[in-house]
Amino acid sequence: MGIGTLRTGTADDSAGLRRQQRGWYFYDWACSVYSTSVLTVFLGPYLTSVAEHAADAGGYVHPLGVPVRAGSFFAYAVSLSVIVAVVVMPLVGGRADRTGRKKPLLAAAAYTGAAATAGMFLLDGDRYLLGGILLVVANAAQSVAMMLYNSYLPQIAPPEQRDAVSSRGWAFGYAAGSLVLVANLVLYSAHDSFGLSETAAVRVCLASAGLWWGAFTLVPLRMLRDRQARVERATAPGPRQFAATVRDMRRHPLTLAFLLAYLVYNDGIQTVISQASVYGSEELALGQSTLIGAVLLVQVLAVAGALAMGRLARAYGARRTILGSLVAWTLTLAAGYFLPAGAPVWFFVLAGGIGLVLGGSQALSRSLFSHLVPPGKEAEYFSAYEMSDRGMSWLGPLLFGLTYQLTGSYRSAIVSLVVFFVIGFVLLARVPVRRAIGEAGNPVPERI
């Protein structure tokens, strides 16, 4: 059944939806440890050290004969993974909507990513190229799997429940990320007590994230249900499918207007996440243990923040709550400009502010977008949503870097990111959400 016909009128319907929702939450629980432990904490420094070990006298490695500075290898691998994901997502999304069989595609993407992550245990010595390949595969697979996972939201939650369901999913993910990160940090910090070298401890942390991802993916694969495709379309998969998706999106300009607003403010969110540690270490002269502690604090408070903002959305609507979160992001960055150097307590206060608005602003953006997707085209449209997330995340770091280059101040660089939240606020405020939902062919919730 399509989004507009989702019913929970009988006890059996309601019980079935609740079961699918519980299964859906567990995919976030499964895959979020990759983002937290692997991508955010351990893999960047470790893969860079492996590349440096393999580098020539000039500090270069030569993947496929191309000279690459060892310190840039991780960043280039992440960029390549984004390109691969942007190419693959609309093709997989089109197939998912055409056939109605999302679950086999979700399984394929999730287990490809989990296997690549578990394979990172083999990254030892000078195996930097293997590390780069595994990173590209894991990161691209995660993007594809998240696109499919997000596209389930409209079919497992009626419009009035969607904000709460999306928020709980984010909370599950941050809770898992916190739990595994604590275990990883214990293992890493006390590796001698476990009879492991420092590098072996990192490899165990990386591989354990892949095993966790694969093991808990069994839960959503068991509990989610595919539905019959709403319309069987003749468009063949491949570039023509992608072109057809783009043409279809042009028929829904208000949906595109929301996507533009999301692209802008989410770029600011992603840049704050990636550059806050640089600001803490370089400008505030804080140690590595403080920075890792701040990452953990963000994860823990993001659970509470996502749930609290889900409740606010029930009272005030998702759009108003997101707008309020953008104001909070702006005030948090402005406060960050004035943080004194060498004062970990105030940096933890800043991290707490980020954590409280982080999960909720992302969760409610996802649920609000789900109302703007035409019925039967969820995976295709969520591929565009995920592409805007992954594919445009270079603008914020570029502004951050240019501001630092021109001013020599990381304080100016961090506060320059306010522009993304201000512009995003203005663009989102101008989107007539109720009309956009109606034009997409969906029922308009009482409060949105």
Side-chain angles (χ1 to χ4, degrees):
M1 70 183 68
I3 304 174
T5 59
L6 182 62
R7 298 187 301 271
T8 57
T10 69
D12 288 343
D13 289 338
S14 297
L17 284 179
R18 285 196 299 271
R19 185 174 189 274
Q20 290 194 70
Q21 288 167 8
R22 289 194 296 271
W24 188 79
Y25 300 149
F26 266 95
Y27 187 71
D28 229 327
W29 176 272
C31 74
S32 290
V33 298
Y34 169 81
S35 298
T36 304
S37 288
V38 177
L39 208 57
T40 302
V41 177
F42 287 107
L43 185 58
Y46 182 68
L47 184 55
T48 300
S49 70
V50 172
E52 290 172 344
H53 185 264
D56 60 22
Y60 286 85
V61 290
H62 300 268
L64 305 179
V66 179
V68 173
R69 193 175 290 278
S72 300
F73 182 74
F74 174 74
Y76 288 152
V78 171
S79 297
L80 179 58
S81 73
V82 171
I83 294 170
V84 172
V86 165
V87 171
V88 173
M89 278 191 292
L91 309 183
V92 176
R95 180 173 179 81
D97 286 334
R98 232 181 10 262
T99 64
R101 300 184 71 235
K102 297 177 186 175
K103 197 156 60 167
L105 296 170
L106 174 62
Y111 281 107
T112 297
T117 305
M120 291 176 185
F121 181 78
L122 302 175
L123 301 185
D124 200 5
D126 58 359
R127 295 175 178 172
Y128 76 94
L129 188 55
L130 174 62
I133 293 171
L134 292 175
L135 169 58
V136 170
V137 172
N139 222 33
Q142 189 210 30
S143 296
V144 174
M146 283 301 296
M147 174 266 293
L148 293 164
Y149 163 74
N150 287 338
S151 71
Y152 271 101
L153 180 59
Q155 73 187 62
I156 65 169
E160 67 276 7
Q161 293 181 13
R162 221 165 281 168
D163 294 335
V165 170
S166 183
S167 297
R168 290 188 199 115
W170 278 102
F172 261 64
Y174 281 116
S178 302
L179 179 65
V180 175
L181 183 57
V182 168
N184 287 162
L185 292 177
V186 169
L187 176 64
Y188 177 73
S189 301
H191 57 84
D192 288 336
S193 302
F194 293 98
L196 296 172
S197 66
E198 183 177 358
T199 58
V202 172
R203 289 161 49 216
V204 169
C205 291
L206 295 173
S208 66
L211 296 176
W212 178 285
W213 186 356
F216 284 103
T217 294
L218 292 171
V219 179
L221 292 180
R222 181 176 178 82
M223 299 175 74
L224 288 172
R225 294 289 177 264
D226 278 336
R227 66 183 185 191
Q228 185 177 359
R230 190 171 184 268
V231 179
E232 184 71 26
R233 281 167 285 162
T235 307
R240 283 184 294 172
Q241 172 65 65
F242 178 59
T245 302
V246 172
R247 285 195 301 271
D248 189 76
M249 293 193 74
R250 291 173 62 185
R251 293 171 40 229
H252 300 281
L254 296 181
T255 300
L256 282 176
F258 171 81
L259 204 55
L260 176 61
Y262 172 75
L263 183 153
V264 172
Y265 68 74
N266 184 63
D267 199 2
I269 292 173
Q270 298 303 321
T271 306
V272 172
I273 294 171
S274 65
Q275 301 301 321
S277 61
V278 176
Y279 181 63
S281 61
E282 299 299 323
E283 184 69 35
L284 304 181
L286 301 175
Q288 186 68 22
S289 59
T290 298
L291 299 177
I292 293 176
V295 170
L296 184 58
L297 179 63
V298 168
Q299 296 292 312
V300 172
L301 290 182
V303 176
L307 296 175
M309 288 182 65
R311 294 190 185 96
L312 286 174
R314 286 201 296 272
Y316 301 103
R319 179 171 169 271
R320 288 183 179 178
T321 306
I322 295 170
L323 289 171
S325 78
L326 298 182
V327 173
W329 275 106
T330 300
L331 295 176
T332 300
L333 287 182
Y337 178 86
F338 297 101
L339 290 187
V345 172
W346 289 109
F347 189 73
F348 282 124
V349 171
L350 178 69
I354 291 173
L356 288 173
V357 294
L358 174 61
S361 54
Q362 293 176 317
L364 294 179
S365 296
R366 176 172 64 185
S367 60
L368 181 54
F369 182 72
S370 73
H371 293 285
L372 308 178
V373 177
K377 298 181 179 179
E378 296 88 358
E380 286 184 53
Y381 273 65
F382 268 107
S383 72
Y385 181 86
E386 198 70 16
M387 285 165 63
S388 70
D389 186 351
R390 310 283 177 178
M392 293 302 293
S393 57
W394 55 272
L395 286 173
L398 177 63
L399 177 62
F400 185 92
L402 287 175
T403 304
Y404 177 74
Q405 182 171 327
L406 293 174
T407 66
S409 168
Y410 282 106
R411 293 184 186 274
S412 298
I414 200 73
V415 82
S416 71
L417 301 178
V418 164
V419 68
F420 289 96
F421 299 104
V422 172
I423 295 176
F425 182 98
V426 172
L427 291 175
L428 179 58
R430 291 170 60 88
V431 177
V433 171
R434 289 185 171 276
R435 182 153 62 94
I437 295 172
E439 290 183 3
N442 296 315
V444 181
E446 181 180 346
R447 181 170 282 110
I448 191 71

